[in-house]
Structure formats: C-alpha cells, structure tokens
Amino acid sequence: MIQRVEIDGGVVVGVDSSASSARALVVAAEEARRRNTTLHVVRAWSLRTAPRPADCPPNAVPSMDEFQQEVRADTERIVASKLGEHEGLPVEFHIVHSPSPQALLSASKGADLLVVGHRGRGGFAGLMLGSVAEQCVRHAACPVLVVRPNV
C-alpha cells in the first residue's frame, strides 16, 4: 500500500467526500490551469473512512486491495462529477492508505501549491479550520490555499 505521496511540481489538492473538499478540488483545478501544470488529487483513507466495495458480500471483509480500488473509483467519480472531462488538464491520482495530514504534508514537499478545504469529514463543526487544514497551514513545505465555502 502507498503511504506517502512524492511529486515533482504541480498543484496538490486533498479530496474526501465532503462538500468542502469538492470546492477545494474546483479551485485547485483552476489554479493548475492558470499555472499550466499538473493537478495532483490526493485521497488519504483508512478502514474507517474507506467506502465499502459494493460487490463484497455483507458478511465478508474486503481485502486492502479491494478497499484501495474502491477508494480510487470513488475519487475518480468525485473528480469527474466536479471537473467533467478536465480537457487539457493533466490529473494524477494519489490514493494513500495514511492519515490525511501525513499524506498531504508529504505531497507538499514537491508541490508548488497545496489546496485544502476549510473543513473535511471531521466532527467539530464550530472550528474555524478543520484539524487537517490547520496542520497543513502550520507544517506544509509549500504555500497553502485554504478554500472557504461559497457564501
């Protein structure tokens, strides 16, 4: 399983199933187009956050590879629904079995820009920034753009 993300330039965006990350994805794609560079879509997952493979029987436990494939397919669906065909924009997927902050911070070491939503799937709605966004702002090795929701 991949646990770190290593890239060489481009715009990195953290994606999960939250509305905040969907907005960050759109903004990151705009930035990548402006910069004429690759969009790197990072999806970190754990057994707790991974979608269950639809073809897995109810009493069976999916393998790590099956979870990895399902997370990739889910991420590709999210990107397609928000960006369409993304013509002319090179997109690379990085599906990582890792905590989100570690995956995004490792990607930031080679990125030109890291884009994150202001809040992900965590449970503390009253926070100004989600814990992942806050860790990225504090520790990323490149500039970080935190995307707020449309108001």
Side-chain angles (χ1 to χ4, degrees):
M1 275 307 119
I2 300 168
Q3 296 183 338
R4 296 180 53 79
V5 178
E6 295 180 7
I7 64 167
D8 186 20
V11 175
V12 172
V13 61
V15 172
D16 59 20
S17 59
S18 70
S20 182
S21 82
R23 173 95 174 100
L25 173 62
V26 171
V27 170
E30 292 168 0
E31 277 297 320
R33 279 194 179 94
R34 258 187 226 112
R35 296 165 184 251
N36 195 30
T37 192
T38 301
L39 176 64
H40 295 274
V41 177
V42 175
R43 173 88 179 258
W45 67 276
S46 69
L47 292 177
R48 186 181 62 80
T49 64
R52 183 177 174 81
D55 60 351
C56 185
N59 295 330
V61 177
S63 70
M64 294 298 279
D65 284 340
E66 289 171 317
F67 273 122
Q68 178 85 2
Q69 291 169 14
E70 187 64 27
V71 173
R72 175 176 274 282
D74 186 57
T75 305
E76 289 173 354
R77 282 190 294 272
I78 291 168
V79 170
S81 74
K82 292 298 172 189
L83 303 184
E85 293 297 314
H86 51 79
E87 293 174 19
L89 176 65
V91 177
E92 292 185 18
F93 292 88
H94 306 273
I95 310 304
V96 189
H97 182 237
S98 167
S100 298
Q102 284 84 335
L104 294 170
L105 292 173
S106 70
S108 79
K109 292 177 184 172
D112 299 319
L113 177 69
L114 172 59
V115 182
V116 294
H118 80 294
R119 287 200 18 80
R121 299 178 69 229
F124 299 102
L127 295 176
M128 293 298 287
L129 279 182
S131 62
V132 173
E134 183 176 357
Q135 288 184 52
C136 289
V137 167
R138 290 179 184 267
H139 303 291
C142 68
V144 177
L145 174 59
V146 178
V147 177
R148 302 281 300 160
N150 284 338
V151 287

